[in-house]
Structures are given as structure tokens and as C-alpha cells.
Amino acid sequence: MIKRFYSDLFIYALPMFLARAVGLLLLPIYTRQLGPVDFGFIEFVAASSTILLLVLPLEINQAVGRLIPEADSNLNQYKIFTSAFWFTFAVFFGFGSLIYISRFQLLDALNLSQNYAQYALLICIHFLVLALVNLLQVKFRFTSQAKSSVTINLSVVMSNFILVLYFSSLDKLGIEQYFLSQILAGLIGITLGVVMLSKQYKTPPLLKYIDILVLKKLLKYSMPLVVSSLGIALATSIDRVIIGSSVGLKELGYYGAALRLSAIVALGFYVISSAMTPTVYRDHVKAETKLFIAGIFQTTSFITITLLAVITFYSAEIIDLFAGEQFSTASKYLFYLTLSAVISGLYIFFLGMDIQKNTTLLSKINLSVGATVTILTCLSVPLYGVWGAVFSNLAGGIFRLSGYVYFSQKLYFVPFKFAWLISLICFLIIINAAITI
């Protein structure tokens, strides 16, 4: 079981982690070239895209991932993908057109500078390209073509990395170049994906086999998932939207820099989950599986506590290294955002609801967390600024983890040891509170 875990870790999860970790390598370039205000605008757009990628296509990606493996022929697989592809294209094209037409009014409503109207077209194209790249990755991942999915992801990430380095070398990396890099890299990924599709299905890709009945079937499956997924999206993104429109882009820049650094924790949990979950699903009836989960939990907890301890005493140096002196204010948020990422990520070890296929309960928990975080953020940020968002996220993470622990342990009990972890976290919170004050 352990051997299979490490095999899955290196074959599938690690390449995805490395691809996403490139974003961390780009952070020092973005922050130093853009500055806090423009970087704050980038974070505002990124948060908005997280929500839009779920809401606009009505979670059709999940329907593709669920239904395409069950297709009884290559032709039916092709119909599922092409129908989803053109639906996604249509909704983002229509939305982008509305955004472009009403860009000045929208900026007024969001309390953002009219100067950002000049980037509206690029942003809308960016949303469209990102949605299509995500759909291609889903298609390949759920048709047992994980290597193709990873190849597309790596091509996008590395192309963007090279373009950013190019613009940075010319000292011309601004908001326009940021989105140009994202768009061009995405188009490379789409082109690569389309070539793979044409080789697989031996037919002109995307130009035919749009099936309305298939689309209706996809939407029938996906639409009930929108509310639950929206809860997760709001819980992870609404903070940046509210800070940007209520407090200001400069403060959002500080918050966003700390948030991106804390995201390395989320990436770590993603890698562990990607490698561990298939093994657990296959062997959950075996007695040693519970000990396997508990062992991975203990190791992960020790690593995260060590990371939190380092951040407690060296947050200023970490921010200075990765973001630069202009973002020194971000250091006071780093510990709490990392702690929030840790608490939010620990849910991956509580798989009882997944094993019992109780998706209704999962949806209720996620929706409740999203609603709670949204309400807390909307109420607290206007009163307490960025700290309101920090502690709203922390409260949401605790709420979500509590729900997973309570219900999952009832359905699939695993002998976890919590006491030492909770004690050390409380100790570090006290130290950080004393340092901050």
C-alpha cells in the first residue's frame, strides 16, 4: 500500500505540483515589476475567475469527468467533449461581450479605477482561454490519459514562465503583458490538446458532432453541483473580491502576496490527496488502510507544524525574499493565512462521506461553509479591513474541518491523534498574537 502511494505520488501528483509551484517562482517577478496596487488588481481578477469558471459553464467540467468514462464508444466520448467545449465557449464569449460593453459601469460599481478599463478585452479573452484549457485537462484526465493532461498543464505553465521572463528581461512586465502571457500560454495548451484529440478520434476536432441531447444530459448532471461548488469558490475567493472593492487594491496586493505564499500548503495537500485517495478508495475495507491514513496524517501534521513554526519567527524575511520590501506589510498576515490553509487542507484525511458516497451531506457542508465565509467576510472586511478577511477564512476552515471530522469519523472511523497537533497550533497562535501586538 505504501509502495503504491509513492508510485502514484511520483507518477501523477508530483508533476502537477511542480507545474503549480512555478507560480511561486514567478511571485518575486510579479511583485517587483507590478507593485502592490497592480498586483492587487491581478489578484482581484484571479479571484473573480475562480468563481466565474464554476458559475458560467454550470460546472459542466464535472459532468464531462463523470460521464465521458462511461461512454460506450469513441464517437460518444467525442460528442460529450465537443458539446461541452462549444457550450463553454459560447457562455464565456457572451459574458465577455457583456463585460466589455459595460466595463466602465462595472469598474464604478466595484470602486476600481477607470484606468483598468483598457485591460477589459484581454481579461475576457483570458477567462475564455482558461476555461477551455481546464476542460481539455478534465477530458484527458478522466479518459485514463493522465500523461496528456499533465503535458498540457506543463506546456501552459512553462510557456507562461518563459513569456514572463521575456517581458521581465525587457523591463516591460505590466498588467497587459501579464494577461498576454497567460493568453498565449493557454492557446499553446489548447492547440496541443486539439492535436491530441485529432490523433485519438481521427476526425476534424471540434468542428462537428455537437449534440443537443448530449448537452442536456451533461447539464442535467452538472447543474445541481453548481450550488455546492459555488460554496467552495466563495469560501476561497470572496475575500479578495471584497478587499479589492472595499479596502483597496494596495491592501489586496499585500494580502494576495501572503496568500500566494501560503498556497504552497494547499499544493502539498493536493499532492498527498492525489496519491492517497485512489489507494484508500481501492482498499478501504482492509484494516491496514485506516492505519495507513493515520500514518500519513501524522507525518503531514509534523511537517505543517514545522512550517508554521518557521513562519512564526521568519515571516518578515520570507516576504522580503519572495515579494520584496514593498510588500513588507504582508508578513503580518502570512502565519494566519498559512494556518488557514493547513486547517482547510486537513479535510483530505476524512474520507468517510466519500467512501459512503454521501455527496448530499458533502454538498451541505461545503455550501454552509461558503455561505458562512461570505457573510463573515462581507460584514467584517468593511469594519476591520484585511484582518476581517483573514479571520473569516480561518473560521470557515475550522467550520469545514469540524464538519468533515464529525460526519466522516462516524461513517469511517480512523484512529487519529489530534491532541498534540491542536496544542502546538494553539501555542503558535499565542506567540504570533504576542508578536503582532
Side-chain angles (χ1 to χ4, degrees):
M1 190 174 293
I2 292 292
K3 289 182 179 180
R4 186 184 301 157
F5 170 76
Y6 284 113
S7 175
D8 289 344
L9 182 71
F10 284 102
I11 293 174
Y12 297 111
L14 191 57
M16 296 295 288
F17 173 82
L18 293 174
R20 295 190 181 191
V22 169
L24 184 63
L25 297 177
L26 291 177
L27 180 62
I29 299 175
Y30 289 148
T31 54
R32 287 168 172 81
Q33 296 261 336
L34 294 169
V37 176
D38 285 348
F39 183 74
F41 179 72
I42 295 295
E43 285 294 291
F44 186 90
V45 173
S48 301
S49 70
T50 300
I51 299 172
L52 293 174
L53 287 171
L54 291 174
V55 175
L56 287 182
L58 301 176
E59 274 289 58
I60 202 168
N61 283 14
Q62 287 204 44
V64 171
R66 180 65 180 84
L67 299 180
I68 204 168
E70 297 179 351
D72 54 10
S73 67
N74 277 349
L75 178 59
N76 286 333
Q77 280 192 3
Y78 191 66
K79 286 181 178 180
I80 289 173
F81 175 77
T82 53
S83 299
F85 183 95
W86 287 113
F87 175 78
T88 302
F89 182 93
V91 294
F92 274 94
F93 182 84
F95 177 79
S97 299
L98 290 175
I99 290 296
Y100 185 76
I101 292 170
S102 59
R103 59 193 183 281
F104 294 105
Q105 294 85 347
L106 182 61
L107 288 169
D108 279 338
L110 295 171
N111 295 319
L112 301 179
S113 171
Q114 295 286 316
N115 292 333
Y116 293 114
Q118 61 184 305
Y119 308 117
L121 180 60
L122 284 174
I123 292 171
C124 293
I125 296 173
H126 166 63
F127 288 157
L128 172 60
V129 169
L130 185 59
L132 297 180
V133 169
N134 288 346
L135 181 60
L136 279 163
Q137 288 179 305
V138 167
K139 187 271 166 199
F140 287 116
R141 190 182 314 128
F142 285 92
T143 51
S144 300
Q145 296 172 283
K147 291 182 180 179
S148 297
S149 177
V150 171
T151 299
I152 291 175
N153 191 36
L154 287 174
S155 69
V156 172
V157 170
M158 296 311 299
S159 298
N160 180 61
F161 185 71
I162 292 169
L163 287 166
V164 169
L165 291 180
Y166 171 72
F167 286 125
S168 178
S169 68
L170 300 177
D171 200 25
K172 291 183 178 180
L173 182 61
I175 293 176
E176 180 179 0
Q177 289 74 29
Y178 173 90
F179 286 113
L180 277 174
S181 299
Q182 296 276 332
I183 291 168
L184 291 174
L187 290 175
I188 290 172
I190 291 172
T191 302
L192 187 60
V194 169
V195 171
M196 292 177 181
L197 285 173
S198 64
K199 289 182 178 179
Q200 179 181 357
Y201 295 110
K202 308 297 182 183
T203 186
L206 312 178
L207 298 178
K208 56 182 180 178
Y209 299 122
I210 303 170
D211 193 313
I212 299 300
L213 293 178
V214 169
L215 180 58
K216 287 181 178 179
K217 186 177 180 181
L218 289 169
L219 294 177
K220 182 179 179 180
Y221 178 88
S222 69
M223 288 181 68
L225 302 174
V226 174
V227 176
S228 172
S229 298
L230 182 59
I232 298 175
L234 288 174
T236 57
S237 304
I238 195 65
D239 51 350
R240 286 173 287 170
V241 175
I242 300 298
I243 292 172
S245 57
S246 298
V247 183
L249 292 178
K250 188 174 184 179
E251 286 299 321
L252 177 56
Y254 299 144
Y255 180 81
L259 192 65
R260 289 207 183 193
L261 283 172
S262 68
I264 193 68
V265 173
L267 291 180
F269 279 112
Y270 170 82
V271 170
I272 295 168
S273 177
S274 298
M276 178 186 71
T277 304
T279 301
V280 173
Y281 285 170
R282 285 191 297 262
D283 302 323
H284 66 272
V285 295
K286 297 180 180 179
E288 61 265 29
T289 301
K290 294 182 178 181
L291 296 177
F292 166 73
I293 298 172
I296 301 297
F297 175 85
Q298 290 292 106
T299 303
T300 303
S301 297
F302 176 78
I303 294 172
T304 53
I305 283 294
T306 303
L307 176 63
L308 288 170
V310 171
I311 292 173
T312 295
F313 297 104
Y314 296 101
S315 59
E317 289 80 2
I318 293 171
I319 289 294
D320 185 56
L321 174 64
F322 284 98
E325 293 182 1
Q326 291 185 81
F327 288 80
S328 59
T329 303
S331 62
K332 59 186 180 183
Y333 308 129
L334 184 58
F335 170 81
Y336 296 99
L337 290 175
T338 306
L339 175 60
S340 180
V342 169
I343 293 173
S344 297
L346 286 173
Y347 84 93
I348 67 170
F349 296 101
F350 301 92
L351 296 167
M353 290 178 286
D354 295 278
I355 290 172
Q356 299 300 326
K357 298 179 181 178
N358 196 337
T359 55
T360 300
L361 185 54
L362 280 170
S363 297
K364 289 180 179 178
I365 292 173
N366 291 331
L367 180 59
S368 299
V369 171
T372 301
V373 172
T374 300
I375 293 170
L376 286 175
T377 303
C378 291
L379 292 176
S380 61
V381 170
L383 294 174
Y384 305 107
V386 174
W387 283 113
V390 171
F391 290 111
S392 294
N393 275 337
L394 194 55
I398 294 172
F399 180 25
R400 185 187 188 198
L401 181 60
S402 299
Y404 271 76
V405 171
Y406 179 79
F407 291 107
S408 288
Q409 288 291 82
K410 278 189 171 183
L411 297 170
Y412 187 77
F413 181 81
V414 178
F416 294 112
K417 295 179 181 179
F418 296 109
W420 72 275
L421 178 62
I422 295 173
S423 299
L424 287 175
I425 286 177
C426 291
F427 177 68
L428 290 174
I429 289 174
I430 293 171
I431 294 177
N432 274 274
I435 293 173
T436 303
I437 294 172

